[in-house]
Amino acid sequence: MNTAIEDDSTLTDRYQTTVPASVRRALKLKRRDRIHYTVRPNGEVVLSRASDEPSQDPVMASFLAFLERDLQAHPENIRPVAAGTFAEAERLTSGIEVDLDEALPEDDDDA
């Protein structure tokens, strides 16, 4: 890519945006492709196609490793989830509707 491509996009109330067509073409992005962001110390943001290898969250990886060790060391603690547990979850969440386009509350803006 020899020429610089510049384009703009707008953030929605939920901090989402559409990647401009010019950038999608330059990065050869298709639907469901992943994007990688690098924020440099000077505030510059580099957007690139993410590698096919999923990145690992170190906290989640540590937790899952702990869980695996614990389950192997104490298999007697493994129990099936009872049907009553599912029924209780359904009861607790019945009537709750989620609008994925709803604006986030003010206290979540810093996330």
Side-chain angles (χ1 to χ4, degrees), residues 5-18:
I5 295 174
E6 292 187 25
D7 214 332
D8 296 320
S9 65
T10 303
L11 286 176
T12 67
D13 289 337
R14 294 186 57 87
Y15 296 99
Q16 297 173 335
T17 190
T18 300

Side-chain angles (χ1 to χ4, degrees), residues 63-80:
F63 171 72
L64 292 173
F66 159 77
L67 192 57
E68 180 181 20
R69 287 189 309 273
D70 188 63
L71 290 172
Q72 288 175 346
H74 303 286
E76 69 277 6
N77 291 335
I78 301 172
R79 292 185 209 104

Side-chain angles (χ1 to χ4, degrees), residues 33-98:
D33 280 349
R34 296 175 57 246
I35 298 170
H36 178 78
Y37 299 87
T38 303
V39 181
R40 295 185 174 159
N42 66 357
E44 182 180 58
V45 177
V46 177
L47 180 139
S48 58
R49 174 191 269 286
S51 70
D52 290 337
E53 249 180 62
S55 61
Q56 282 196 353
D57 177 343
V59 174
M60 184 58 75
S62 295
F63 171 72
L64 292 173
F66 159 77
L67 192 57
E68 180 181 20
R69 287 189 309 273
D70 188 63
L71 290 172
Q72 288 175 346
H74 303 286
E76 69 277 6
N77 291 335
I78 301 172
R79 292 185 209 104
V81 177
T85 303
F86 286 112
E88 181 67 4
E90 287 178 346
R91 185 188 70 73
L92 292 170
T93 58
S94 69
I96 296 176
E97 293 185 28
V98 177

